[in-house]
Amino acid sequence: MTSSTTPVAGASGRTASADRAHSVHTDHADHESRTTGGAATPQGHSYEVVLVTYKSRAHVEDLVGGWGPDVAVALVDNGRGVDGLAEWAAARPQVRYLDGGSVGFARAANAGAFSSSAEFVVFVNPDSRPTVADLHALVDGLAADPVSASHAATMAGREGDVEIGVAGWEPDVWRTAAYAAGLHKVWPRVGVYAKPELGDPLRVDWTTGACMAVRTAQFVRLRGFDESFFVYSEDMSFGRRARAAGLRQVLRPDVVVAHGAGSSGAPSAEMMRLKGASFRNYVHRYHPGAPASVMSGSLAVGYLARSVRERARGDEALASLFRAQAQGLSTGRAFVGGQEVAQARMAETAAAEGHARRARGAHGTPAEAVEVAARPILFVTKEFGEPATSGGMLRTLALARWLARRANVVVVAPTGVTGVRRLPESGEIVLEELRAAPTRSPFADALTLPRYRSIGAPRTCGAALIEGLTDTLGELGPFGVAVVDHTCLFGVADLLPADLPVVLSTHNVESDLMRQRAGAEKGAMKVAAHVEASLLRRLERSVGAGYPTVVCTRHDAEAAREDGAPEVVVGRNGVTPPSGLDRERAVADNPLGVELLFTGALDWRPNVGGILWLVESPQWARFVAAHPGVVLTVAGRNPSADFRARLEAAPGVRVEADVPSMRPLLERARLGVAPLLEGGGSRIKLLEYIAHGLPSVSTLVGASGLDGLPEGAVRQTPQDLDAFCAALHSELAGGPVTLPRAQVEEMLEVYGWDTALEPAAAVLPAGYAG
């Protein structure tokens, strides 16, 4: 939260406040022309300090004097010149003066930032004391961090200890109750407001604007601070906007700035009531219904209890501050100069936003479509991460990147919540962790069995997915559309808002895979697999049939249509072409001689069964004996100890588990292999082989679903060991070392990710289809 030195404000969005920024009265417009470049850091980044002041001339003189004439300052005066700051600024070329008009912090800060021509803006409270070195550290740190919306200093009080509220977390019922009960004093990370130890790196959801650097253009795109709040909570709301855009905020433990050098011109009880009212209005806007009432109510009770305690101790002054905050929390109303400002500002900005939406709709785009298109996309999946270590993860990652070219994406998986967004300057797609996953509990996962109604989903999705989605809907919504993985949907469909469009994404028809597994299993596992196949089929025909669906093969499309899906499109599996490929040199330098390669998840049954089918056979043993020096590298994630031991016992086999990148293996291998006997969807591994110019041998099942491959790129055989090993021998004896470039390009025209996924645009809402 911002300092009490200035009556703080919030933001109404670009439509209202950007226009206001250009019309702010400046008594010294010539200052603006003299500071257009801003100050410069040692790294050459231009910045301007925005100081929002209210009867704080002594602090301003101290700050600006300490910085010297090279630091450009935008001075936004909420005191309307009462202390002579206009005349003081006129004598200083590095300072441009803006009459803030007593509008509070956020609206005044936005006016300063939106009118700045510097690359970066640093917001500084007048009663803080950052040095020029501190300003440079924040700006240069942010410049080197493309996935962050801001870098903020750690604010320390007069005694040198970190202030509470220097940063914090999105409020929820449990965090708010913990803070109300004072549990944050025992466990500092359980409340709403953070108070880290000096030098303690802390991942937070928002940071105070008391000393914070932002990129000017990005700050404008995010609509600045939230002017819905006259004082306080605008920083919490800015953190929400940043997270929705796939960005984080960084609290810098290495930049410690003294704070609280003086007091505000506003009455303290008035400010505390504003603080309580703003928090109440924040939670009621973003967590409506019972959760908001519980949060504001529990905090009000907590502050009343503190007030009673302090009165009993004889500290009536402190007791009155706590009572004022409880009053704001109870009513959502607060006054400045006898005028109610908290509820009035909320109503004013809500009206401005409605007018802006109607105006946009009047210019040829329906207002509803504009509003939806501005919202992020929710993507719910059972596995996500980079680097991707399986075909399913590769498709999920590619789909998230493809969606991010249309809007910011929030990915919810059992492993955490990730933001995926496109950098406007370079077009690069970046990923940033927004929330780490909770520790997995087998007991908690087992309790989700009635929700998922399948045997496998509690293990692959579990309670972590439910918790992550629930938190994300509450903290980062509303969303414009949800894209949900096939298996996940069965457990989360009832959690999604009724008015949220949902698209089902399926990599494989899960019931088909389970039927194949049942055919290969024995005993109790065979029975369990048949039961699971039946459960999945029932869910596919009921829950899964109610949504537009994206599949990756024509066979799967036919199955989805038979199940009654309202709309089905085929978004193929694809591949990203490598850059700077030099296969000929890599193969020539290969110290292993003749290397065959299998890539894929080593904990997935079709991969495990297919490889063991090959390497534990007498045909393979004869093949290795006939080809001295041949090595089959089996590379992928999570091999079990038993599987690894069986591979290492087989002739001519080596294991590369959990490698950081498959590229070196793909470049140097002589031949790719896909000896698969079961599975669904299509094999991304074969597409990766071709993209790297690597010839390959596959069973017919291994190459299923990949129609239109260049002739000769993949030699296909029946599921017969003699035929498979004979094909390996033939390719080594007379096949190409590197596929012709024309064949690679032919494959990429069909299976490059952008082309492969483009049909999926047809089932997205209109605002996201382009």
Side-chain angles (χ1 to χ4, degrees):
M1 284 186 282
T2 49
S3 164
S4 61
T5 27
T6 55
V8 207
S12 67
R14 177 61 178 154
T15 302
S17 48
D19 293 341
R20 187 180 302 109
H22 291 295
S23 63
V24 170
H25 172 66
T26 62
D27 290 333
H28 304 280
D30 59 315
H31 287 197
E32 188 167 350
S33 65
R34 282 182 276 172
T35 60
T36 53
T41 72
Q43 302 299 320
H45 303 292
S46 70
Y47 71 95
E48 184 177 33
V49 173
V50 172
L51 276 174
V52 178
T53 179
Y54 180 78
K55 300 179 182 180
S56 305
R57 175 168 174 168
H59 292 308
V60 173
E61 290 180 348
D62 192 19
L63 268 178
V64 176
W67 292 334
D70 294 331
V71 175
V73 177
L75 183 61
V76 189
D77 185 5
N78 265 340
R80 292 192 158 181
V82 69
D83 49 2
L85 275 176
E87 294 74 20
W88 176 87
R92 288 158 180 81
Q94 80 274 27
V95 179
R96 61 186 181 99
Y97 178 87
L98 296 91
D99 184 348
S102 298
V103 295
F105 175 82
R107 184 165 282 179
N110 286 346
F114 290 174
S115 60
S116 179
S117 58
E119 182 184 3
F120 294 85
V121 161
V122 185
F123 299 105
V124 174
N125 273 5
D127 69 338
S128 65
R129 291 297 180 266
T131 65
V132 173
D134 293 330
L135 302 176
H136 290 175
L138 293 177
V139 171
D140 287 337
L142 179 60
D145 182 6
V147 297
S148 291
S150 67
H151 276 207
T154 299
M155 310 306 293
R158 296 180 183 180
E159 304 302 322
D161 59 331
V162 177
E163 295 180 334
I164 189 166
V166 69
W169 300 274
E170 179 69 17
D172 60 30
V173 169
W174 298 113
R175 281 191 176 279
T176 308
Y179 184 79
L183 299 180
H184 62 287
K185 295 181 180 180
V186 181
W187 299 289
R189 302 191 184 194
V190 303
V192 176
Y193 305 109
K195 188 180 186 299
E197 297 294 327
L198 281 173
D200 180 21
L202 190 64
R203 184 177 291 275
V204 292
D205 291 337
W206 54 270
T207 59
T208 180
C211 186
M212 184 176 81
V214 298
R215 293 179 182 82
T216 308
Q218 185 180 73
F219 186 74
V220 172
R221 285 195 299 273
L222 291 173
R223 297 180 295 143
F225 288 117
D226 191 343
E227 294 178 15
S228 301
F229 305 97
F230 188 85
V231 61
Y232 297 105
S233 292
E234 77 290 323
D235 42 14
M236 189 181 292
S237 188
F238 180 71
R240 185 182 188 87
R241 290 178 175 178
R243 295 194 306 277
L247 299 166
R248 65 181 179 181
Q249 290 186 274
V250 174
L251 180 65
R252 292 282 295 274
D254 59 317
V255 182
V256 180
V257 171
H259 196 206
S263 61
S264 169
S268 294
E270 183 176 90
M271 296 301 293
M272 291 303 96
R273 179 165 177 171
L274 278 164
K275 183 177 180 180
S278 292
F279 184 89
R280 175 190 171 87
N281 292 336
Y282 178 89
V283 297
H284 278 264
R285 166 168 286 187
Y286 295 116
H287 304 270
S293 298
V294 171
M295 283 188 265
S296 57
S298 63
L299 266 190
V301 170
Y303 279 114
L304 284 174
R306 290 170 170 81
S307 177
V308 171
R309 181 193 65 201
E310 296 306 321
R311 188 172 185 180
R313 292 174 176 176
D315 193 340
E316 180 57 36
L318 185 55
S320 68
L321 296 183
F322 286 141
R323 283 197 303 274
Q325 195 159 348
Q327 190 173 17
L329 283 160
S330 300
T331 65
R333 293 167 57 82
F335 298 81
V336 171
Q339 292 186 334
E340 203 287 319
V341 294
Q343 285 288 352
R345 183 60 62 83
M346 295 288 288
E348 174 194 337
T349 54
E353 286 291 332
H355 174 75
R357 284 195 294 270
R358 289 190 294 273
R360 288 193 294 264
H363 287 83
T365 303
E368 294 81 3
V370 171
E371 182 179 2
V372 168
R375 295 176 183 174
I377 297 171
L378 176 66
F379 190 2
V380 185
T381 179
K382 66 181 179 182
E383 54 182 357
F384 187 79
E386 192 176 32
T389 53
S390 69
M393 289 184 70
L394 282 168
R395 179 178 174 84
T396 301
L397 181 61
L399 183 55
R401 292 177 179 275
W402 179 80
L403 290 168
R405 299 190 183 280
R406 288 156 171 77
N408 292 323
V409 179
V410 178
V411 181
V412 180
T415 51
V417 180
T418 305
V420 185
R421 66 184 182 91
R422 179 178 180 269
L423 297 179
E425 296 82 3
S426 64
E428 178 187 0
I429 305 296
V430 296
L431 281 66
E432 174 61 22
E433 180 185 273
L434 302 181
R435 183 180 292 275
T439 303
R440 294 293 295 267
S441 163
F443 177 73
D445 288 346
L447 294 179
T448 65
L449 182 63
R451 170 175 283 279
Y452 286 108
R453 291 163 288 172
S454 78
I455 299 172
R459 178 180 62 85
T460 57
C461 302
L465 182 72
I466 303 298
E467 180 179 342
L469 178 60
T470 302
D471 291 346
T472 298
L473 289 170
E475 295 176 7
L476 302 181
F479 295 95
V481 62
V483 179
V484 186
D485 270 0
H486 191 260
T487 305
C488 302
L489 179 69
F490 307 144
V492 307
D494 63 333
L495 298 177
L496 300 172
D499 60 346
L500 179 64
V502 176
V503 174
L504 178 61
S505 173
T506 176
H507 185 205
N508 303 291
V509 177
E510 297 291 333
S511 60
D512 282 352
L513 288 178
M514 197 52 58
R515 274 196 297 269
Q516 292 179 49
R517 178 170 184 176
E521 291 286 3
K522 297 179 180 179
M525 291 300 295
K526 188 178 190 73
V527 174
H530 275 298
V531 171
E532 177 74 337
S534 178
L535 291 172
L536 290 170
R537 192 71 188 121
R538 182 177 302 174
L539 290 166
E540 289 164 357
R541 289 176 171 175
S542 55
V543 181
Y547 303 96
T549 302
V550 180
V551 298
C552 63
T553 69
R554 294 175 183 173
H555 169 76
D556 292 347
E558 292 173 3
R561 292 187 183 102
E562 289 176 1
D563 290 342
E567 189 174 1
V568 182
V569 296
V570 178
R572 299 172 182 266
N573 277 333
V575 68
T576 301
S579 59
L581 183 66
D582 190 355
R583 263 194 54 76
E584 290 85 351
R585 179 173 180 179
V587 171
D589 292 344
N590 183 5
L592 297 175
V594 179
E595 183 177 8
L596 312 183
L597 177 65
F598 176 89
T599 63
L602 303 184
D603 56 356
W604 192 52
R605 178 183 171 83
N607 286 342
V608 172
I611 283 294
L612 293 179
W613 170 75
L614 174 63
V615 302
E616 292 186 337
S617 70
Q619 290 90 335
W620 172 255
R622 291 195 294 270
F623 173 81
V624 171
H627 297 81
V630 74
V631 173
L632 170 59
T633 297
V634 178
R637 63 172 183 173
N638 300 334
S640 68
D642 176 69
F643 181 46
R644 180 192 283 268
R646 291 173 69 177
L647 290 177
E648 291 173 346
V653 178
R654 64 192 292 268
V655 180
E656 288 277 2
D658 303 310
V659 295
S661 171
M662 292 291 185
R663 175 164 176 161
L665 302 178
L666 290 161
E667 285 189 350
R668 78 188 188 204
R670 173 63 180 82
L671 200 63
V673 299
L676 302 181
L677 307 177
E678 58 177 305
S682 58
R683 313 299 176 209
I684 293 179
K685 61 171 58 65
L686 290 175
L687 300 177
E688 285 198 306
Y689 295 163
I690 300 172
H692 286 79
L694 178 63
S696 55
V697 174
S698 172
T699 59
L700 293 173
V701 169
S704 64
L706 294 175
D707 54 331
L709 290 179
E711 179 144 6
V714 180
R715 182 184 286 255
Q716 300 181 37
T717 77
Q719 287 74 262
D720 177 85
L721 285 164
D722 290 320
F724 195 89
C725 290
L728 293 178
H729 172 78
S730 178
E731 284 294 315
L732 291 180
V737 173
T738 300
L739 294 176
R741 186 64 197 170
Q743 283 192 334
V744 177
E745 294 293 343
E746 182 182 348
M747 182 275 294
L748 292 174
E749 286 181 5
V750 178
Y751 288 100
W753 276 120
D754 285 344
T755 302
L757 291 174
E758 190 58 34
V763 295
L764 295 176
Y768 300 104

